[in-house]
Amino acid sequence: MRLFWYATMLFLYAPLAVVVLFSFNAANSPARFAGFSLRWYDRLMTNDALLLAFKNSLILGVSSSLIAVVFGAMLGYGMYRFRHWHLHWLVWLIYLPIVMPDVVYGISEMTFFVAMHRNFGIFEPGLSTMILAHVSFQIPFVALLVHSRLLVLDPLLFEACADLYASPLKRLRYFLIPVLWPALLASFLLAFTLSIDDFVISFFTAGPSSTTLPIYIWSAVRKGITPEVNAVAALIIAAVGIAGLAALVYHHVKFRFSHSVKT
């Protein structure tokens, strides 16, 4: 069993290790390692097109995730609030963008935006249309996460808020947001990850000046894999690894603190 575990870890992380190794390659070759060098990282920091793509990806990811969390949380709360109305068709509509292939969804979004721009002069392809497209497929994930969190709560808590004459605003501020905070944070991180990782929908809804990091990498790979592309991938791997390590340390410290308080 231990051998199988090590083999699985090797299968998962060996390609990532190779990418990181070749990002330090002194030669411009994807197959021959000629020694360590930081030239590709130096060239990366002076690549204006890549830095613009990275900036667009951050703007797209953060803005679309924030909007999706707001509307997805309201939708998830509505699903819980009216769960006795047998709205099975609404649940089906929420699941539809999740299971629909990205190519079909991206083409439908592109067709809609092009038709609206041609007939009404709105929704010109660019960063704004990409944000709208990303929000549309992020909302279902947020709604399902918030809805699942609400389902595990005691319904008497909502009655207690009413018994205490809490206004809707106070109920939202002092009860719903603190209780749903873990689900909201997880929803934002999931939505941000989906947005940063997305290529197909971004490709179909992007404009000439709204290239994101996945689109830039795809364009660069078409010309041939260079250590510069490997350097981009290595930085992304490092960022994800640092974020995961920070989360692990946070939970470890939080567990030890709660354990010390109990004892």
Side-chain angles (χ1 to χ4, degrees):
M1 190 64 183
R2 180 176 298 180
L3 180 62
F4 174 77
W5 186 85
Y6 283 124
T8 303
M9 293 296 103
L10 181 64
F11 175 77
L12 290 176
Y13 291 102
L16 301 181
V18 172
V19 167
V20 174
L21 176 64
F22 274 84
S23 69
F24 297 99
N25 193 2
N28 188 6
S29 173
R32 182 178 62 87
F33 189 79
F36 285 91
S37 174
L38 295 176
R39 58 180 292 202
W40 304 109
Y41 288 93
D42 181 63
R43 182 177 297 184
L44 196 66
M45 298 306 171
T46 58
N47 190 331
D48 294 334
L50 189 143
L51 294 177
L52 178 60
F54 178 72
K55 177 184 176 181
N56 289 336
S57 294
L58 285 182
I59 294 175
L60 175 62
V62 173
S63 57
S64 63
S65 299
L66 289 174
I67 298 173
V69 166
V70 174
F71 287 96
M74 291 191 294
L75 181 59
Y77 178 76
M79 292 170 58
Y80 175 80
R81 179 68 175 80
F82 303 103
R83 62 190 181 280
H84 302 299
W85 286 22
H86 304 290
L87 300 177
H88 301 294
W89 59 271
L90 179 59
V91 178
W92 178 79
L93 288 177
I94 293 174
Y95 273 103
L96 192 59
I98 297 177
V99 300
M100 185 179 298
D102 288 345
V103 173
V104 177
Y105 199 81
I107 292 176
S108 63
E109 292 283 347
M110 179 191 66
T111 304
F112 172 76
F113 290 136
V114 169
M116 295 295 291
H117 181 64
R118 181 178 301 173
N119 296 321
F120 304 102
I122 59 175
F123 296 145
E124 182 180 1
L127 200 58
S128 59
T129 56
M130 297 174 71
I131 292 174
L132 292 175
H134 280 220
V135 169
S136 65
F137 75 79
Q138 290 169 332
I139 284 179
F141 290 95
V142 177
L144 293 176
L145 282 174
V146 173
H147 181 246
S148 61
R149 172 59 178 167
L150 289 170
L151 287 176
V152 301
L153 297 179
D154 190 346
L156 295 178
L157 293 174
F158 294 90
E159 297 182 9
C161 291
D163 293 338
L164 294 173
Y165 301 101
S167 64
L169 184 59
K170 289 184 177 180
R171 185 186 308 176
L172 174 66
R173 179 180 178 182
Y174 296 106
F175 171 61
L176 284 176
I177 291 181
V179 168
L180 294 177
W181 178 247
L184 295 176
L185 180 59
S187 299
F188 175 82
L189 295 177
L190 176 60
F192 182 78
T193 303
L194 292 172
S195 178
I196 291 294
D197 184 61
D198 178 75
F199 167 75
V200 177
I201 297 176
S202 298
F203 179 79
F204 282 109
T205 57
S209 60
S210 58
T211 301
T212 58
L213 198 57
I215 297 177
Y216 175 86
I217 293 176
W218 175 77
S219 302
V221 169
R222 289 182 62 191
K223 302 175 184 177
I225 300 178
T226 65
E228 188 175 354
V229 175
N230 292 334
V232 176
L235 292 177
I236 296 175
I237 293 171
V240 173
I242 292 173
L245 182 62
L248 183 64
V249 172
Y250 170 77
H251 286 293
H252 179 70
V253 173
K254 183 178 179 181
F255 173 78
R256 294 196 61 178
F257 177 76
S258 59
H259 183 71
S260 62
V261 170
K262 291 180 181 179
T263 56

